Amino acid sequence: MTITLEEALAELRKARKLVLTAHQNPDGDAIGSLLGLGHMLQALGKDILLLLDDDVPTRYDVLPGHELIQKPEEGKTYQADLLVVLDASLDRIGAVRDAVQATILNIDHHPTNGGAADFLYLDGHRAATAEIIYQLWELSGVELTLPLAMALYTGIATDTGFFKFSNTSPFTMRSAARLLEAGVEPNIISEAMEIRPYSHVKGLADALQHVELWHEGRAAGVFLSYEQMQEIEATDSLIDMLRVIEGVEIATVLKYKEEGKARVSMRSNGIDVSAIATKFGGGGHKRAAGCGIEKPYDEARQELKAAIDAALAPTDKVDEAQAALREAAGAGDPTQPSAAIGAAAQ
Ligand code: 5GP
Ligand code: MN
């Protein structure tokens, strides 16, 4: 059932013991939301446990409280009043879902969230789940400490590409400004987020050897088999290199960390890639989405490319229709203005 922000806060206040979690393959928003809400609930005197079914990359060591995040112990069950699932639908939290026995409150900003939780607070207009936690903080009356502010700033900054993506709103900037007032040093966060081991930079170079363009240069992808992944360290930043290629409207990375199980990331400059991801059982946002495909390499690659072609096709047709219109208007040469189109444009 969907609830309001005030009702979400009331559920948090009502619970005494809470387990907080976020999605596997955690990003800055997953970790920032988790730690941010954790700090806020600690200030409210709650008994909290931060569980995440994945390793936390060391770049998040800059955030106070990162050491509190634990992996669920195999075979153990955790009892709590409330399980809070952040920045993801329930299918992306791995073993935490079955390990924790509690009512589930899901707080998310992914429009594709199917709403399987007992309580869902979803705001698809917020750039980051950390923006929603910021709103909860505003309502809570808790002091804005530096650890809380650093966590929320990290979530907001990373999900907006450090304030440059289309999801960056006046609210994003106002909340970031407030977090800076609380003492966040933006360079400390951005430097910590950007830092990479040498092997990642080398892996990026190796992976880029495999970039391919198709659909008249409107799609770009790197497709790495399980065998190639034994040699190449392909990291999440690879997609950002493909996204910026001139003329590219959809960029994708498909890679096998496990045999038979492809992970797919997609980015676009406007075409809805979450619709493509949803076809494969994934989701995300219009311009950034992902999914898993449990198929062999050739099949997964072909199906993904076909789905991207299909998403690009309607705009092919616009060109064709425009050409047909021009022809009907008697303008054989498209470089010459047609009287009919000119009139229509007035
Ligand atoms: P990324 O490519 O950075 O892994 O993910 C891009 C966006 O798509 C993020 O907002 C992420 O949460 C979402 N996303 C990635 N993989 C999946 C998935 O398997 N399922 C769903 N529902 N969303 C995903
Ligand atoms: Mn997010």
Side-chain angles (χ1 to χ4, degrees):
M1 131 181 163
T2 58
I3 57 172
T4 65
L5 192 66
E6 288 74 12
E7 286 167 337
L9 183 62
E11 288 302 323
L12 293 169
R13 282 191 189 279
K14 205 168 76 186
R16 193 186 54 81
K17 185 165 184 196
L18 303 97
V19 177
L20 314 188
T21 194
H23 57 83
Q24 292 177 300
N25 191 21
D27 56 13
D29 192 26
I31 301 293
S33 303
L34 186 64
L35 289 178
L37 185 61
H39 289 303
M40 184 181 128
L41 293 174
Q42 267 180 340
L44 288 170
K46 303 293 177 186
D47 177 357
I48 58 152
L49 179 64
L50 308 184
L51 282 186
L52 187 78
D53 189 15
D54 213 336
D55 294 324
V56 179
T58 50
R59 59 177 171 275
Y60 299 108
D61 287 1
V62 69
L63 298 178
H66 71 91
E67 67 287 348
L68 300 175
I69 303 174
Q70 302 172 24
K71 267 195 197 175
E73 272 177 50
E74 227 178 296
K76 183 168 172 179
T77 0
Y78 300 81
Q79 306 285 342
D81 301 320
L82 201 61
L83 168 64
V84 188
V85 178
L86 296 161
D87 196 39
S89 42
L90 309 188
D91 54 334
R92 298 184 64 213
I93 60 173
V96 173
R97 175 143 194 201
D98 290 331
V100 181
Q101 292 180 344
T103 302
I104 302 179
L105 167 63
N106 188 188
I107 300 176
D108 194 11
H109 72 131
H110 292 100
T112 52
N113 189 314
D118 299 304
F119 301 112
L120 170 67
Y121 180 72
L122 173 69
D123 186 350
H125 297 293
R126 293 274 82 103
T129 300
E131 283 192 359
I132 302 175
I133 307 301
Y134 177 89
Q135 291 181 297
L136 282 170
W137 162 77
E138 283 184 310
L139 289 176
S140 74
V142 159
E143 185 195 344
L144 187 58
T145 58
L146 185 57
L148 171 54
M150 285 175 78
L152 297 184
Y153 183 89
T154 300
I156 295 171
T158 52
D159 258 22
T160 57
F162 283 83
F163 312 102
K164 69 179 181 224
F165 296 157
S166 62
N167 57 3
T168 306
S169 69
F171 178 82
T172 305
M173 293 306 208
R174 277 196 287 271
S175 46
R178 179 70 186 86
L179 297 170
L180 294 185
E181 281 165 359
V184 174
E185 293 174 85
N187 59 307
I188 300 288
I189 304 295
S190 68
E191 284 160 19
M193 294 305 118
E194 278 169 8
I195 198 136
R196 296 281 178 272
Y198 169 71
S199 64
H200 283 198
V201 178
K202 181 74 173 52
L204 196 57
D206 294 341
L208 281 171
Q209 301 294 317
H210 299 275
V211 62
E212 49 184 284
L213 293 184
W214 79 96
H215 209 112
E216 293 160 347
R218 295 171 62 201
V222 169
F223 303 85
L224 297 171
S225 67
Y226 183 70
E227 290 70 32
Q228 286 173 308
M229 287 290 289
Q230 304 313 299
E231 312 285 322
I232 298 174
E233 201 168 337
T235 60
D236 290 349
S237 53
L238 175 58
I239 189 107
D240 294 322
M241 299 284 119
L242 310 185
R243 191 172 63 74
V244 296
I245 300 171
E246 199 169 18
V248 166
E249 293 170 55
I250 298 181
T252 189
V253 171
L254 177 149
K255 60 187 184 190
Y256 286 81
K257 276 192 197 159
E258 287 174 62
E259 206 148 10
K261 259 186 162 177
R263 278 296 322 156
V264 175
S265 283
M266 285 180 277
R267 300 289 183 269
S268 88
N269 59 3
I271 292 171
D272 185 4
V273 283
S274 76
I276 306 175
T278 305
K279 278 191 202 155
F280 292 101
H285 309 278
K286 194 174 177 193
R287 291 164 186 253
C291 57
I293 305 181
E294 294 193 20
K295 292 200 172 157
Y297 177 81
D298 288 333
E299 221 173 300
R301 170 199 173 101
Q302 196 209 328
E303 286 185 18
L304 179 62
K305 286 180 87 166
I308 291 174
D309 284 334
L312 289 166
T315 35
D316 293 341
K317 293 220 177 68
V318 169
D319 293 344
E320 281 167 28
Q322 278 172 350
L325 250 178
R326 274 196 298 271
E327 210 156 295
D333 179 355
T335 61
Q336 297 302 310
S338 125
I341 289 175
Q346 298 299 308

